[in-house]
Amino acid sequence: MANIACARSIAIRRVAVVAALACAGAMSAAALPASSIRLWDIAASFQDTGTVNRGFGGATTAHVLHYYRRLLPAAPPRAVIVYVGENDLAAGTPPDRVARDIATLLGRLRKDYPRAPIAFLSLKPSPLRWALRERMAMVNAQVVDLTKKLDVRYLDVGRLLLATDGLPDASLFRPDGLHMNARGYQRWTASVDAWLDSLPPPSRARASAS
């Protein structure tokens, strides 16, 4: 999932980034297929934040749910960022089913981390999958309502990748038309960074216990 300062707080934040988490954890990085989260260099993007990246290529929400326990970080994260659902639609899963699976995933995360801030990154438009935009919008709309009920923050990172004509900005993507390049990730990083900066600092007790 599902990652990610300011005169940020003295204690470094630990953030788990969840997307297609990792049953692929035992595989070498070179063997893993591309993934929007796995390709995100979160260590360089959030240098004052301890991060755990659980992204793996081609995963659907069902994959993440299946390997859920294996994908959780060893130590409780102070925040969780989730990106999942895009591959579900590309595989032909109906939007309502995708939204239900995301609801299950976010519900489990909220139960396991009742006090941790959780953010869901909206499904992103891309040149390759532009034909899926209406179905992505349907999933995003349902997730917006869901995040309010579960106290999860919805970050609309998809709009950051659109040009002035409303189409995906090809200059923000790699040649495959699906995965972002460094400029695209800079926009995601800025959005997530702003959210992290808005969070209250962990208490001294929690920081010393972590």
Side-chain angles (χ1 to χ4, degrees):
M1 353 208 255
N3 306 15
I4 322 257
C6 87
R8 277 184 157 82
S9 68
I10 296 176
I12 293 180
R13 294 182 176 130
R14 272 198 312 275
V15 182
V17 184
V18 183
L21 309 172
C23 67
M27 299 171 63
S28 69
L32 293 174
S35 157
S36 292
I37 296 299
R38 192 180 70 78
L39 293 175
W40 192 355
D41 187 352
I42 60 171
S45 298
F46 305 95
Q47 296 183 18
D48 60 350
T49 302
T51 58
V52 178
N53 189 331
R54 296 304 198 193
F56 63 92
T60 64
T61 313
H63 291 143
V64 174
L65 289 170
H66 181 77
Y67 294 105
Y68 178 79
R69 286 297 167 193
R70 292 180 61 182
L71 299 172
L72 297 181
R78 293 204 179 95
V80 180
I81 297 170
V82 181
Y83 183 78
V84 73
E86 182 182 339
N87 288 331
D88 306 46
L89 293 176
T93 306
D96 286 349
R97 174 58 186 274
V98 177
R100 287 198 301 272
D101 286 348
I102 291 174
T104 299
L105 175 60
L106 293 180
R108 292 185 69 176
L109 286 168
R110 176 48 70 213
K111 180 179 179 180
D112 286 333
Y113 305 118
R115 295 188 295 174
I118 300 173
F120 181 87
L121 308 186
S122 66
L123 303 193
K124 76 178 192 307
S126 64
L128 183 65
R129 291 179 173 173
W130 186 237
L132 297 176
R133 63 189 181 281
E134 292 184 0
R135 278 172 276 182
M136 288 185 178
M138 293 172 64
V139 173
N140 285 335
Q142 293 186 57
V143 173
V144 167
D145 291 337
L146 172 67
T147 55
K148 296 176 182 177
K149 298 175 183 177
L150 293 176
D151 189 25
V152 171
R153 179 68 177 273
Y154 176 85
L155 298 180
D156 186 0
V157 294
R159 62 182 176 79
L160 304 177
L161 304 178
L162 298 177
T164 55
D165 60 3
L167 297 174
D169 186 343
S171 71
L172 302 176
F173 291 86
R174 297 183 179 209
D176 64 6
L178 176 60
H179 300 101
M180 293 176 293
N181 59 27
R183 293 183 64 237
Y185 280 114
Q186 285 175 358
R187 298 194 178 191
W188 272 27
T189 297
S191 179
V192 171
D193 215 25
W195 175 66
L196 289 174
D197 281 343
S198 73
L199 300 177
S203 67
R204 180 171 300 179
R206 289 182 63 191
S208 61
S210 59

